[in-house]
């Protein structure tokens, strides 16, 4: 069974640009959640999607958005990039239909903003 | 004060030692997760538990709901156990959103 796949793995952008990250969950998993990890802040929850609906949202500005498609693949978008957006962005999928469930993480997308 | 506190922040031990990492939380939870992150970023779920004790190989996780405390134990530690261990809880008051601890960086020396 393939694991959670995140693309791209690494990317470099400049301030003001926008970026789209993709996450393909494990087959059969309908919940996808996104996290930002920075050295100073640790892991911070961005949002969680279940069956194409945003079920939970973290405390991030509106520049951060996401969506989920009918095949459960999810994308997150960050517009008007700032230097502080440089981070490792992780997604996780879960089989559980409840809000709790074992999480399976991708390897992450490492974004550098110059 | 953070809702999920881990201790110690850093831990260095010799190969073979028995390791304990602690996690205390201050919110009502439906489940607690222990995860492992190796250098490079990948995170692996080790345990999800809501009561009692779970064991997988050399790893044991326990939780005391009344005391709002969980421990992760590693028996016969090995250098390959070196990683960051993270505790996270599904908070009932936050729509079960995961609340993360800051992590414990473990180094096992040969």
């Amino acid at each position: 069974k393939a694991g959670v796949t995140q693309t791209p793995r690494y990317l470099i952008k400049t301030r003001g640009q926008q970026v789209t990250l993709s996450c393909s969950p494990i087959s059969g998993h309908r919940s996808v959640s996104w996290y930002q990890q920075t050295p100073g802040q640790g892991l911070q929850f961005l949002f969680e999607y279940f069956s194409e609906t945003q079920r939970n949202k973290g405390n991030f500005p509106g520049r951060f958005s996401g969506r989920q498609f009918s095949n459960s693949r999810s994308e997150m978008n960050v517009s008007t990039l700032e230097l502080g957006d440089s981070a490792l962005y992780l997604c996780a999928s879960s089989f559980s239909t409840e809000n709790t469930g074992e999480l399976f993480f991708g390897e992450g997308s490492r974004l550098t903003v110059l | 004060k953070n809702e999920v506190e881990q201790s110690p922040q850093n831990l260095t031990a010799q190969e073979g030692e028995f390791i304990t990492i602690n996690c205390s939380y201050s919110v009502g939870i439906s489940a607690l997760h222990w995860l492992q992150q190796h250098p490079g970023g990948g995170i692996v779920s080790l345990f999800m538990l809501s009561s009692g004790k779970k064991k997988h190989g050399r790893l044991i996780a326990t939780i005391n709901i009344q005391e709002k405390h969980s421990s992760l134990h590693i028996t016969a530690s090995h250098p390959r156990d070196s990683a960051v261990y993270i505790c996270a809880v599904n908070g009932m008051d936050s729509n079960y959103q995961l609340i993360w601890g800051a992590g414990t960086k473990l180094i096992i020396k040969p």
Side-chain angles (χ1 to χ4, degrees):
Chain A
K1 202 177 196 183
V4 178
T5 304
Q6 288 190 247
T7 57
R9 289 291 313 279
Y10 302 92
L11 67 167
I12 299 173
K13 293 283 187 178
T14 56
R15 277 182 298 174
Q17 287 188 309
Q18 68 93 26
V19 67
T20 298
L21 308 177
S22 178
C23 173
S24 293
I26 291 173
S27 178
H29 287 195
R30 289 157 64 189
S31 168
V32 173
S33 50
W34 287 90
Y35 304 88
Q36 181 195 63
Q37 187 176 36
T38 57
Q41 296 290 322
L43 272 154
Q44 303 284 319
F45 170 74
L46 282 156
F47 22 66
E48 187 237 350
Y49 288 88
F50 182 82
S51 292
E52 301 179 67
T53 301
Q54 188 180 82
R55 196 160 62 172
N56 257 321
K57 190 177 189 305
N59 190 26
F60 276 80
R63 299 185 297 107
F64 291 81
S65 63
R67 58 178 176 169
Q68 187 180 33
F69 302 96
S70 58
N71 62 357
S72 293
R73 187 178 72 86
S74 178
E75 286 181 348
M76 67 162 281
N77 184 278
V78 188
S79 62
T80 320
L81 284 166
E82 301 176 359
L83 295 178
D85 297 332
S86 295
L88 178 66
Y89 290 87
L90 291 156
C91 90
S93 75
S94 174
F95 177 76
S96 175
T97 57
E98 303 296 327
N99 285 46
T100 62
E102 186 179 3
L103 297 174
F104 296 82
F105 282 83
E107 292 294 313
S109 293
R110 189 169 294 279
L111 169 66
T112 301
V113 181
L114 302 176
Chain B
K1 191 179 189 295
N2 293 332
E3 291 167 309
V4 179
E5 298 269 2
Q6 282 186 241
S7 64
Q9 209 170 343
N10 295 282
L11 177 57
T12 300
Q14 290 296 132
E15 183 174 356
E17 285 188 38
F18 181 82
I19 304 298
T20 296
I21 299 170
N22 296 299
C23 176
S24 295
Y25 52 92
S26 57
V27 296
I29 69 168
S30 57
L32 182 142
H33 302 254
W34 281 103
L35 306 108
Q36 179 194 57
Q37 186 173 30
H38 279 284
I43 293 180
V44 175
S45 175
L46 298 174
F47 296 102
M48 185 182 77
L49 64 167
S50 54
S51 65
K53 176 180 173 177
K54 286 190 176 181
K55 185 177 189 291
H56 186 258
R58 295 180 294 107
L59 299 176
I60 303 165
T62 64
I63 188 168
N64 185 318
I65 297 295
Q66 286 74 29
E67 294 185 5
K68 295 190 175 179
H69 180 269
S70 174
S71 293
L72 176 68
H73 304 287
I74 305 174
T75 61
S77 59
H78 190 276
R80 64 174 175 267
D81 296 327
S82 299
V84 175
Y85 291 84
I86 306 170
C87 168
V89 301
N90 291 100
M92 285 175 162
D93 292 340
S94 55
N95 199 22
Y96 303 99
Q97 174 182 314
L98 271 177
I99 306 168
W100 297 82
T104 295
K105 185 174 182 180
L106 174 66
I107 297 173
I108 303 296
K109 293 185 175 179

